[in-house]
């Protein structure tokens, strides 16, 4: 994709760009880091602990799994609804784990602990979802059609809590592949603080990958569940990238040569040889290339050079000064991809920029974009621009993180946040009884501190509108990579 140019800029935008260029504003990245982690407590399902800090939330989903006579309590609601989609939840868990692996040593002790708590809330649930392997894997809890037809607190849910399982030989490679990555990343993150738990995670990651690879195919191809997972979280990019992604994380967690051979021999057959300029819950290729490139940069594994070349192509597409094709940016400077929830791209790609910069720095290397040599700090500056945009340096002068800064979204698309808490309204609020709160013009009564919303459109405009879920709905997979990004800048507050 080519960079878009906007020759006619409004006076407001011109003044904004001038103010950013001349501003010496310093964000409180440590505060943003703390809040980005706190957000996950607002998304918890299951029995909440005594040290729960967002006290407007209470226990929920306590019968999850009963339809299969198994315990599937816990985990996270992925966004503003009350469904547990294991595919994006696993990606969230992977990114929290990767945040600890790459940036945990930069985190203050308290925030490292809080991040590990958030990570374990996800990984504990994922262990339950693969507890019946080798023959069954759970991929979702909650009927999304019924749930989306209601506006009610998770504590009041009276919609079907159907547990969706995939039984062998039916496939679920994209979900199982991502769960493999999540458990592997978590196993590395917990290796020093809880070696026994780390080993449990790794053993289950191996079993999960065996299921993913033995029964190849998409979970959405199963007739008995596809209508309840699509169009919500189907992987329209295929399942092969998750197989490579899971194998790459197992390689990182175990050092096993067999996984190295797997990612080397299957790159082209699995269609991962094309240059990809995105990374998210449904497309892992951009992250895969960066992750595997460390084997080349730090380990001289030149048989994996093709992964590094694709990673460099991706990185170069983010550098406006480099030759060749570029990603799109809005006039205000936000990374832009067609579709909703724009900030998921800004947080995941900023994460990759920082990780790749780390790999290069440790080997005293620069990024080569044709005739242009790009030092690691330039990649960090590109990431910082995205972070600062999210935290308020944008044409709207709005922080897109709830509870951070003076001005932030007050009417986010989130059931628990928008409805009165059980503390203030002990009586149940039924499925359709919540509509009055959904349609209210008042701010949400419960502040979901740290939530990063979907964000603005390609014109940098954002209306604080609860009904516009593409812009106003937060998700766990927006926040998870942002934890690692903010950890870096909190530890390097003077970087510019």
């Amino acid at each position: 994709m080519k960079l878009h140019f906007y020759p006619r800029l409004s006076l407001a935008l011109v003044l904004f760009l001038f103010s950013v260029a001349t501003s010496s504003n310093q964000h409180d990245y440590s505060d943003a880091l703390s809040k980005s982690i706190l957000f996950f407590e607002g998304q918890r399902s299951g029995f909440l602990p005594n040290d729960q800090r967002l006290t407007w939330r209470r226990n929920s989903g306590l019968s999850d799994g009963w339809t299969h006579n198994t315990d599937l309590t816990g985990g996270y609601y992925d966004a503003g609804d009350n469904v547990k989609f294991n595919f994006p939840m696993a990606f969230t868990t992977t990114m929290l784990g990767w945040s600890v692996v790459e940036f945990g040593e930069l985190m203050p002790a308290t925030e490292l602990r809080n991040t590990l708590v958030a990570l374990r809330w996800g990984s504990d649930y994922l262990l339950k979802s693969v507890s019946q392997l080798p023959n069954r894997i759970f991929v979702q809890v909650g009927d999304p059609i019924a749930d989306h037809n209601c506006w009610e607190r998770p504590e009041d849910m009276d919609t079907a809590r159907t547990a969706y399982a995939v039984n062998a030989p039916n496939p679920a490679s994209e979900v199982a592949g991502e769960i493999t990555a999540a458990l592997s990343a978590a196993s590395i993150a917990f290796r020093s603080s809880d070696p026994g738990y780390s080993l449990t995670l790794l053993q289950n990651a191996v079993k999960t990958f065996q299921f993913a690879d033995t029964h190849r195919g998409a979970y959405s191809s199963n007739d008995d569940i596809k209508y309840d997972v699509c169009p919500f979280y189907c992987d329209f990019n295929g399942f092969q990238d998750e197989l490579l992604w899971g194998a790459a994380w197992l390689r990182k967690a175990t050092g096993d040569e067999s996984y190295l051979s797997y990612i080397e021999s299957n790159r082209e057959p699995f269609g991962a040889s094309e240059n990809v300029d995105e990374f998210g819950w449904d497309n892992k290729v951009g992250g895969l290339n960066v992750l595997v490139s460390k084997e080349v940069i730090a380990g001289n594994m030149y048989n994996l050079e093709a992964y590094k070349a694709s990673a460099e192509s991706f990185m170069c597409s983010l550098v406006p000064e480099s030759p060749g094709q570029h990603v799109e940016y809005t006039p205000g400077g936000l990374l832009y991809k067609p579709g909703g929830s724009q900030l998921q791209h800004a947080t995941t790609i900023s994460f990759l920029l920082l990780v790749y910069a780390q790999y290069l720095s440790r080997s005293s290397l620069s990024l080569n974009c044709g005739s242009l040599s790009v030092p690691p700090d330039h990649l960090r500056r590109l990431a910082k621009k995205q972070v600062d945009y999210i935290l308020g340096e944008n044409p709207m002068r709005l922080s897109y993180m709830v509870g951070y800064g003076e001005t932030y979204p007050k009417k986010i698309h989130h059931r628990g946040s928008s409805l009165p808490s059980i503390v203030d309204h002990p009586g149940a609020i039924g499925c359709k009884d919540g509509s009055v709160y959904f349609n209210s013009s008042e701010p949400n009564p419960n502040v979901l501190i740290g939530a990063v919303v979907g964000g603005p459109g390609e014109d940098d405009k954002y209306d604080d509108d609860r009904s516009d879920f593409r812009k106003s709905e937060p998700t766990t997979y927006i926040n998870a990579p942002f934890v690692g990004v903010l950890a870096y800048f909190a530890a390097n507050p003077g970087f510019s």
Side-chain angles (χ1 to χ4, degrees):
M1 292 178 290
K2 294 184 178 180
L3 184 65
H4 280 191
F5 293 94
Y6 297 81
R8 296 182 179 178
L9 302 181
S10 68
L11 177 60
L13 182 55
V14 170
L15 292 174
F16 158 72
L17 293 172
F18 176 78
S19 68
V20 169
T22 59
S23 173
S24 59
N25 177 52
Q26 288 291 321
H27 290 287
D28 188 344
Y29 299 113
S30 294
D31 182 49
L33 171 63
S34 299
K35 289 173 176 174
S36 71
I37 303 165
L38 178 59
F39 156 76
F40 288 95
E41 295 192 17
Q43 299 301 112
R44 285 172 169 172
S45 180
F47 292 93
L48 303 190
N50 293 331
D51 60 356
Q52 169 82 10
R53 292 176 291 169
L54 292 182
T55 54
W56 49 268
R57 282 297 322 283
R58 291 292 190 270
N59 298 338
S60 63
L62 302 185
S63 64
D64 285 357
W66 73 270
T67 55
H68 286 77
N69 195 31
T70 192
D71 176 17
L72 292 175
T73 58
Y76 291 113
Y77 306 117
D78 78 295
D81 54 22
N82 301 324
V83 182
K84 296 192 298 198
F85 296 100
N86 291 13
F87 191 22
M89 194 196 308
F91 179 69
T92 294
T93 306
T94 303
M95 295 311 297
L96 284 173
W98 202 2
S99 291
V100 172
V101 171
E102 297 293 348
F103 305 110
E105 62 184 17
L106 301 179
M107 296 180 183
T110 299
E111 299 312 333
L112 176 58
R113 174 193 172 278
N114 289 335
T115 304
L116 289 171
V117 168
L119 172 59
R120 188 161 187 157
W121 198 272
S123 59
D124 278 352
Y125 170 80
L126 294 177
L127 287 174
K128 294 178 181 181
S129 73
V130 299
S131 62
Q132 295 185 12
L133 287 176
N135 297 316
R136 172 182 286 172
I137 184 172
F138 291 97
V139 298
Q140 181 175 306
V141 178
D143 181 333
I145 304 298
D147 180 88
H148 287 193
N149 283 330
C150 293
W151 195 260
E152 58 185 348
R153 301 176 296 201
E155 294 84 359
D156 290 332
M157 282 186 294
D158 50 12
T159 54
R161 298 301 292 169
T162 308
Y164 296 88
V166 173
N167 299 311
N170 294 309
S173 294
E174 68 273 67
V175 184
E178 187 59 61
I179 292 175
T180 299
L183 298 180
S184 299
S187 75
I188 301 172
F190 283 105
R191 188 172 288 163
S192 60
S193 62
D194 194 338
Y197 183 61
S198 173
L199 180 60
T200 296
L201 291 166
L202 189 55
Q203 291 170 337
N204 280 273
V206 171
K207 289 194 300 182
T208 306
F209 185 73
Q210 290 171 346
F211 182 94
D213 195 41
T214 302
H215 311 293
R216 292 183 183 179
Y219 79 136
S220 55
S221 66
N222 296 284
D223 289 338
D224 54 340
I225 68 170
K226 68 180 180 182
Y227 298 109
D228 290 318
V229 300
C230 295
F232 302 100
Y233 286 108
C234 283
D235 189 345
F236 296 107
N237 292 296
F239 60 86
Q240 293 89 343
D241 55 328
E242 276 81 27
L243 289 175
L244 291 168
W245 179 239
W249 273 105
L250 278 172
R251 161 66 180 174
K252 188 174 181 67
T254 65
D256 192 316
E257 293 291 321
S258 66
Y259 299 116
L260 180 67
S261 298
Y262 187 96
I263 58 179
E264 180 186 2
S265 61
N266 285 306
R267 181 175 181 269
E268 289 198 16
F270 283 1
S273 58
E274 296 181 7
N275 291 330
V276 174
D277 61 358
E278 63 179 291
F279 176 52
W281 65 264
D282 63 339
N283 193 326
K284 308 307 182 316
V285 177
L288 170 70
N289 289 330
V290 168
L291 179 67
V292 176
S293 68
K294 186 179 183 181
E295 297 264 13
V296 183
I297 296 171
N300 298 320
M301 301 295 295
Y302 295 113
N303 53 326
L304 300 173
E305 177 65 36
Y307 282 98
K308 177 177 177 288
S310 291
E312 296 223 332
S313 176
F314 185 12
M315 295 294 107
C316 290
S317 76
L318 301 168
V319 180
E321 305 89 344
S322 68
Q325 293 187 325
H326 299 88
V327 300
E328 297 179 26
Y329 289 91
T330 66
L334 177 67
L335 277 163
Y336 176 76
K337 299 281 184 182
S341 195
Q342 286 304 310
L343 296 185
Q344 67 178 310
H345 308 300
T347 61
T348 55
I349 292 175
S350 294
F351 184 94
L352 294 184
L353 282 164
L354 291 179
V355 169
Y356 203 71
Q358 295 279 79
Y359 294 167
L360 293 175
S361 291
R362 290 167 184 163
S363 297
S364 302
L365 297 173
S366 293
L367 171 67
N368 294 314
C369 300
S371 59
L372 182 68
S373 178
V374 181
D377 273 355
H378 191 73
L379 300 182
R380 295 181 177 114
R381 290 187 192 99
L382 291 174
K384 185 175 184 294
K385 287 180 181 178
Q386 298 304 302
V387 174
D388 291 345
Y389 185 107
I390 293 171
L391 297 181
E393 291 185 35
N394 55 67
M396 297 294 296
R397 300 305 184 108
L398 178 72
S399 164
Y400 289 108
M401 176 183 281
V402 175
Y404 178 86
E406 296 181 3
T407 308
Y408 52 83
K410 302 293 199 304
K411 291 176 278 188
I412 66 173
H413 183 96
H414 190 276
R415 287 159 175 76
S417 172
S418 66
L419 291 155
S421 71
I422 285 182
V423 176
D424 298 323
H425 192 295
I429 300 174
C431 170
K432 297 300 182 182
D433 295 334
S435 298
V436 63
Y437 300 102
F438 175 79
N439 294 318
S440 171
S441 60
E442 295 299 312
N444 289 7
N446 308 307
V447 181
L448 185 57
I449 297 172
V452 179
V453 296
E458 62 181 322
D459 56 1
D460 294 296
K461 292 183 179 179
Y462 180 89
D463 296 319
D464 198 3
D465 180 359
R466 192 178 296 113
S467 66
D468 190 354
F469 65 90
R470 291 178 178 83
K471 292 184 176 181
S472 65
E473 186 171 22
T475 70
T476 57
Y477 49 85
I478 295 176
N479 265 67
F482 209 38
V483 170
V485 172
L486 290 169
Y488 177 82
F489 288 112
N492 297 276
F495 180 83
S496 61

